[in-house]
Protein backbone atom coordinates (compact mmCIF):
# COMPACT_ATOMS: atom_id res chain seq x y z
CA UNK A 1 0.00 0.00 0.00
CA UNK A 2 1.35 3.43 -0.93
CA UNK A 3 1.82 6.09 1.73
CA UNK A 4 -1.09 8.16 0.40
CA UNK A 5 -3.46 5.19 0.45
CA UNK A 6 -2.24 4.16 3.91
CA UNK A 7 -2.92 7.51 5.56
CA UNK A 8 -6.20 7.92 3.69
CA UNK A 9 -7.28 4.55 5.11
CA UNK A 10 -6.20 5.66 8.60
CA UNK A 11 -8.23 8.87 8.24
CA UNK A 12 -11.24 6.89 7.05
CA UNK A 13 -10.86 4.64 10.07
CA UNK A 14 -10.86 7.69 12.35
CA UNK A 15 -14.04 8.92 10.66
CA UNK A 16 -15.79 5.53 11.07
CA UNK A 17 -14.74 5.21 14.69
CA UNK A 18 -16.38 8.48 15.74
CA UNK A 19 -19.39 7.76 13.56
CA UNK A 20 -20.21 4.80 15.83
CA UNK A 21 -20.79 7.09 18.83
CA UNK A 22 -24.29 8.12 17.76
CA UNK A 23 -25.66 8.92 21.21
CA UNK A 24 -22.62 11.05 22.04
CA UNK A 25 -22.97 12.85 18.70
CA UNK A 26 -26.66 13.57 19.30
CA UNK A 27 -25.86 14.85 22.80
CA UNK A 28 -23.12 17.04 21.34
CA UNK A 29 -25.50 18.52 18.76
CA UNK A 30 -27.99 19.35 21.50
CA UNK A 31 -25.30 20.82 23.76
CA UNK A 32 -23.78 23.00 21.04
CA UNK A 33 -27.21 24.22 19.96
CA UNK A 34 -28.22 25.06 23.53
CA UNK A 35 -24.95 26.87 24.26
CA UNK A 36 -25.26 28.65 20.94
CA UNK A 37 -28.67 30.03 21.88
CA UNK A 38 -27.38 31.20 25.27
CA UNK A 39 -24.34 32.87 23.72
CA UNK A 40 -26.36 34.50 20.94
CA UNK A 41 -28.66 36.28 23.37
CA UNK A 42 -25.66 37.24 25.52
CA UNK A 43 -23.91 38.67 22.46
CA UNK A 44 -27.06 40.50 21.33
CA UNK A 45 -27.34 42.18 24.74
CA UNK A 46 -23.65 43.08 24.66
CA UNK A 47 -23.84 44.45 21.11
CA UNK A 48 -26.94 46.47 22.06
CA UNK A 49 -24.77 48.27 24.61
CA UNK A 50 -21.65 48.35 22.44
CA UNK A 51 -22.69 48.51 18.76
CA UNK A 52 -19.98 47.39 16.31
CA UNK A 53 -17.87 45.98 19.12
CA UNK A 54 -14.72 44.48 17.64
CA UNK A 55 -15.75 45.76 14.22
CA UNK A 56 -18.76 43.42 14.03
CA UNK A 57 -22.42 44.30 13.69
CA UNK A 58 -25.00 42.11 15.41
CA UNK A 59 -25.46 39.77 12.45
CA UNK A 60 -21.71 39.19 12.28
CA UNK A 61 -21.55 38.61 16.03
CA UNK A 62 -24.33 36.01 15.76
CA UNK A 63 -22.51 34.35 12.85
CA UNK A 64 -19.36 34.20 14.97
CA UNK A 65 -21.25 32.43 17.76
CA UNK A 66 -22.67 29.71 15.54
CA UNK A 67 -19.41 29.20 13.72
CA UNK A 68 -17.72 28.71 17.08
CA UNK A 69 -20.29 26.07 18.02
CA UNK A 70 -19.74 24.39 14.65
CA UNK A 71 -15.96 24.30 15.10
CA UNK A 72 -15.82 23.53 18.84
CA UNK A 73 -15.63 19.75 18.39
CA UNK A 74 -14.29 19.90 14.84
CA UNK A 75 -11.09 21.55 16.03
CA UNK A 76 -11.15 19.98 19.52
CA UNK A 77 -10.86 23.48 21.00
CA UNK A 78 -10.59 22.15 24.56
CA UNK A 79 -8.91 18.89 23.62
CA UNK A 80 -10.54 15.50 23.27
CA UNK A 81 -9.22 14.75 19.79
CA UNK A 82 -6.70 12.13 18.72
CA UNK A 83 -4.21 13.46 21.27
CA UNK A 84 -6.31 11.97 24.06
CA UNK A 85 -5.71 8.43 22.78
CA UNK A 86 -2.06 9.20 22.09
CA UNK A 87 -1.50 10.39 25.65
CA UNK A 88 -3.09 7.22 27.01
CA UNK A 89 -0.91 5.03 24.79
CA UNK A 90 2.19 6.88 25.98
CA UNK A 91 1.11 6.52 29.60
CA UNK A 92 0.50 2.78 29.34
CA UNK A 93 3.51 2.08 27.15
CA UNK A 94 1.47 0.92 24.17
CA UNK A 95 3.20 3.64 22.16
CA UNK A 96 6.07 1.15 21.76
CA UNK A 97 3.79 -0.85 19.44
CA UNK A 98 3.04 2.28 17.39
CA UNK A 99 6.75 2.89 16.92
CA UNK A 100 7.16 -0.56 15.36
CA UNK A 101 4.61 0.24 12.64
CA UNK A 102 6.01 0.93 9.16
CA UNK A 103 4.41 4.36 9.27
CA UNK A 104 5.34 7.83 10.44
CA UNK A 105 4.03 8.41 13.96
CA UNK A 106 3.07 12.06 13.42
CA UNK A 107 1.35 11.46 10.08
CA UNK A 108 -0.47 8.45 11.53
CA UNK A 109 -2.03 10.50 14.32
CA UNK A 110 -2.63 13.48 12.06
CA UNK A 111 -4.59 11.22 9.70
CA UNK A 112 -6.68 9.87 12.57
CA UNK A 113 -7.39 13.41 13.75
CA UNK A 114 -8.35 14.60 10.26
CA UNK A 115 -10.89 11.78 10.01
CA UNK A 116 -12.23 12.67 13.45
CA UNK A 117 -12.44 16.37 12.53
CA UNK A 118 -14.36 15.68 9.34
CA UNK A 119 -16.93 13.59 11.16
CA UNK A 120 -17.31 16.10 13.99
CA UNK A 121 -17.93 18.88 11.50
CA UNK A 122 -20.51 16.91 9.50
CA UNK A 123 -22.08 15.02 12.38
CA UNK A 124 -21.98 17.58 15.16
CA UNK A 125 -21.10 20.99 13.74
CA UNK A 126 -23.32 21.50 10.71
CA UNK A 127 -26.68 21.06 12.46
CA UNK A 128 -26.19 23.81 15.09
CA UNK A 129 -24.85 26.12 12.37
CA UNK A 130 -27.87 25.51 10.14
CA UNK A 131 -30.16 25.96 13.15
CA UNK A 132 -28.56 29.35 13.79
CA UNK A 133 -28.94 30.37 10.14
CA UNK A 134 -32.63 29.46 10.17
CA UNK A 135 -33.65 31.13 13.42
CA UNK A 136 -31.24 34.08 13.75
CA UNK A 137 -30.00 36.81 11.40
CA UNK A 138 -26.52 35.85 10.19
CA UNK A 139 -24.00 37.51 7.89
CA UNK A 140 -23.33 34.65 5.48
CA UNK A 141 -21.70 35.05 2.06
CA UNK A 142 -23.69 34.30 -1.07
CA UNK A 143 -20.78 33.54 -3.41
CA UNK A 144 -19.08 30.17 -3.74
CA UNK A 145 -15.57 31.71 -3.80
CA UNK A 146 -15.89 32.97 -0.22
CA UNK A 147 -17.12 29.58 0.99
CA UNK A 148 -14.20 27.91 -0.79
CA UNK A 149 -11.78 30.36 0.84
CA UNK A 150 -13.34 29.57 4.20
CA UNK A 151 -12.85 25.81 3.69
CA UNK A 152 -9.16 26.36 2.99
CA UNK A 153 -8.89 28.42 6.20
CA UNK A 154 -10.71 25.64 8.05
CA UNK A 155 -8.25 23.01 6.78
CA UNK A 156 -5.31 25.12 7.92
CA UNK A 157 -7.03 25.66 11.28
CA UNK A 158 -7.29 21.88 11.63
CA UNK A 159 -3.54 21.52 11.07
CA UNK A 160 -2.76 24.24 13.63
CA UNK A 161 -5.09 22.63 16.15
CA UNK A 162 -3.44 19.25 15.71
CA UNK A 163 0.00 20.83 15.98
CA UNK A 164 -0.86 22.32 19.36
CA UNK A 165 -2.43 19.15 20.69
CA UNK A 166 0.34 16.89 19.39
CA UNK A 167 2.93 18.87 21.34
CA UNK A 168 0.77 18.59 24.45
CA UNK A 169 0.40 14.83 23.96
CA UNK A 170 4.16 14.30 23.56
CA UNK A 171 4.79 16.00 26.90
CA UNK A 172 3.43 12.85 28.54
CA UNK A 173 6.68 11.09 27.61
CA UNK A 174 8.23 13.12 30.42
CA UNK A 175 5.25 13.84 32.67
CA UNK A 176 3.92 10.24 32.59
CA UNK A 177 0.37 11.55 32.93
CA UNK A 178 -1.75 13.80 30.77
CA UNK A 179 -4.32 15.08 33.24
CA UNK A 180 -2.60 18.36 34.10
CA UNK A 181 -1.61 19.32 30.56
CA UNK A 182 -5.10 18.41 29.33
CA UNK A 183 -6.60 20.89 31.78
CA UNK A 184 -4.16 23.58 30.65
CA UNK A 185 -5.05 22.79 27.03
CA UNK A 186 -8.76 23.18 27.82
CA UNK A 187 -8.29 26.57 29.48
CA UNK A 188 -5.97 28.02 26.86
CA UNK A 189 -8.12 26.66 24.04
CA UNK A 190 -11.36 28.22 25.24
CA UNK A 191 -9.75 31.59 26.03
CA UNK A 192 -7.14 32.19 23.34
CA UNK A 193 -9.10 30.74 20.41
CA UNK A 194 -11.86 33.34 20.79
CA UNK A 195 -14.45 30.75 21.75
CA UNK A 196 -15.70 32.95 24.58
CA UNK A 197 -15.39 36.33 22.83
CA UNK A 198 -13.96 37.32 19.45
CA UNK A 199 -10.28 38.18 19.75
CA UNK A 200 -11.04 41.49 18.02
CA UNK A 201 -12.82 42.53 21.23
CA UNK A 202 -9.75 42.09 23.46
CA UNK A 203 -8.35 45.54 24.35
CA UNK A 204 -4.89 47.04 24.11
CA UNK A 205 -1.77 44.98 24.54
CA UNK A 206 -3.73 41.86 25.49
CA UNK A 207 -5.57 42.00 22.18
CA UNK A 208 -2.32 42.40 20.25
CA UNK A 209 -0.83 39.36 22.01
CA UNK A 210 -3.77 36.98 21.61
CA UNK A 211 -4.13 37.83 17.93
CA UNK A 212 -0.60 36.60 17.14
CA UNK A 213 -0.81 33.35 19.13
CA UNK A 214 -1.54 30.13 17.20
CA UNK A 215 -5.02 29.79 18.72
CA UNK A 216 -6.07 32.85 16.69
CA UNK A 217 -5.88 30.60 13.62
CA UNK A 218 -8.64 28.33 14.92
CA UNK A 219 -11.85 30.39 15.05
CA UNK A 220 -11.03 34.07 14.60
CA UNK A 221 -9.39 33.86 11.18
CA UNK A 222 -11.83 31.36 9.62
CA UNK A 223 -14.67 33.57 10.88
CA UNK A 224 -13.13 36.70 9.39
CA UNK A 225 -12.51 34.93 6.08
CA UNK A 226 -16.13 33.77 6.01
CA UNK A 227 -17.49 37.23 6.78
CA UNK A 228 -15.04 39.14 4.61
CA UNK A 229 -13.22 40.73 7.54
CA UNK A 230 -9.75 39.78 6.34
CA UNK A 231 -7.99 38.93 3.10
CA UNK A 232 -7.82 35.15 2.65
CA UNK A 233 -4.17 35.16 1.56
CA UNK A 234 -3.12 37.02 4.70
CA UNK A 235 -5.07 34.57 6.85
CA UNK A 236 -3.52 31.62 5.02
CA UNK A 237 -0.03 33.01 5.54
CA UNK A 238 -0.60 33.34 9.28
CA UNK A 239 -2.21 29.93 9.62
CA UNK A 240 0.31 28.24 7.37
CA UNK A 241 3.26 29.70 9.26
CA UNK A 242 1.92 28.46 12.57
CA UNK A 243 1.03 25.04 11.10
CA UNK A 244 4.57 24.57 9.77
CA UNK A 245 6.16 25.82 13.00
CA UNK A 246 4.02 23.62 15.25
CA UNK A 247 4.33 20.48 13.14
CA UNK A 248 8.10 20.99 12.88
CA UNK A 249 8.31 21.46 16.64
CA UNK A 250 6.25 18.30 17.06
CA UNK A 251 8.65 16.44 14.79
CA UNK A 252 11.66 17.58 16.83
CA UNK A 253 9.99 16.76 20.14
CA UNK A 254 8.92 13.37 18.79
CA UNK A 255 12.52 12.61 17.83
CA UNK A 256 13.74 13.56 21.28
CA UNK A 257 10.98 11.60 23.02
CA UNK A 258 11.35 8.39 21.02
CA UNK A 259 15.15 8.29 21.04
CA UNK A 260 14.89 6.43 24.32
CA UNK A 261 11.40 5.16 25.11
CA UNK A 262 10.81 4.18 28.73
CA UNK A 263 7.69 2.09 29.30
CA UNK A 264 6.14 2.55 32.72
CA UNK A 265 6.63 -0.46 34.92
CA UNK A 266 9.56 -1.84 32.97
Amino acid sequence: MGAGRLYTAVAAGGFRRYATYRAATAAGVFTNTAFGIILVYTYLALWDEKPHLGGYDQAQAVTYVWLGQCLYATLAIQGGGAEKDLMERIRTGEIAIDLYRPADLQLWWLSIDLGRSLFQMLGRGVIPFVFGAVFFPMALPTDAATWAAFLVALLLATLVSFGIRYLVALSVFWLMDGMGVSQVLAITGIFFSGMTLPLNVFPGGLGEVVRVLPWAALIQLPADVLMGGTAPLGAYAFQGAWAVALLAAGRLLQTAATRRVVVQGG
Side-chain angles (χ1 to χ4, degrees):
M1 179 181 290
R5 291 178 60 192
L6 170 62
Y7 296 119
T8 299
V10 173
F15 184 97
R16 289 194 300 270
R17 174 189 172 188
Y18 281 85
T20 61
Y21 302 127
R22 298 174 184 174
T25 300
V29 169
F30 175 81
T31 300
N32 286 128
T33 304
F35 271 100
I37 294 171
I38 294 170
L39 282 174
V40 161
Y41 283 109
T42 303
Y43 273 38
L44 289 175
L46 179 59
W47 260 258
D48 278 338
E49 294 295 323
K50 299 285 186 178
H52 300 288
L53 181 64
Y56 292 157
D57 58 26
Q58 283 193 338
Q60 289 173 318
V62 170
T63 304
Y64 187 94
V65 169
W66 289 112
L67 183 62
Q69 294 306 309
C70 175
L71 299 184
Y72 174 77
T74 302
L75 300 178
I77 297 297
Q78 290 190 278
E83 85 288 345
K84 182 178 180 181
D85 292 333
L86 177 56
M87 284 191 286
E88 181 63 16
R89 293 184 72 82
I90 295 172
R91 188 189 68 81
T92 61
E94 293 177 291
I95 189 66
I97 299 173
D98 298 340
L99 295 174
Y100 275 111
R101 291 194 180 106
D104 181 83
L105 184 69
Q106 188 181 47
L107 287 177
W108 179 277
W109 286 99
L110 173 59
S111 299
I112 292 175
D113 200 61
L114 288 175
R116 177 205 62 81
S117 296
L118 180 59
F119 173 77
Q120 293 288 25
M121 183 180 70
L122 298 176
R124 179 170 171 174
V126 170
I127 295 176
F129 190 79
V130 171
F131 175 90
V134 170
F135 292 100
F136 295 92
M138 291 173 62
L140 297 177
T142 56
D143 59 299
T146 302
W147 284 103
F150 164 72
L151 291 178
V152 174
L154 180 56
L155 176 60
L156 290 171
T158 305
L159 295 178
V160 173
S161 173
F162 174 79
I164 295 171
R165 291 179 287 112
Y166 191 68
L167 287 170
V168 170
L170 291 179
S171 70
V172 180
F173 273 109
W174 289 273
L175 299 176
M176 297 299 179
D177 185 82
M179 183 65 69
V181 289
S182 294
Q183 293 175 344
V184 172
L185 177 64
I187 295 170
T188 55
I190 200 71
F191 184 78
F192 290 118
S193 70
M195 190 72 196
T196 305
L197 278 173
L199 300 183
N200 295 342
V201 173
F202 285 53
L206 176 61
E208 294 177 3
V209 170
V210 296
R211 285 190 290 271
V212 298
L213 294 177
W215 289 275
L218 303 187
I219 296 179
Q220 186 66 62
L221 283 180
D224 285 342
V225 168
L226 182 66
M227 295 185 289
T230 189
L233 291 181
Y236 299 161
F238 180 88
Q239 292 177 299
W242 270 116
V244 170
L246 290 167
L247 292 174
R251 176 72 58 175
L252 291 174
L253 192 61
Q254 171 187 307
T255 300
T258 57
R259 185 174 293 120
R260 179 171 179 268
V261 177
V262 178
V263 177
Q264 289 200 67

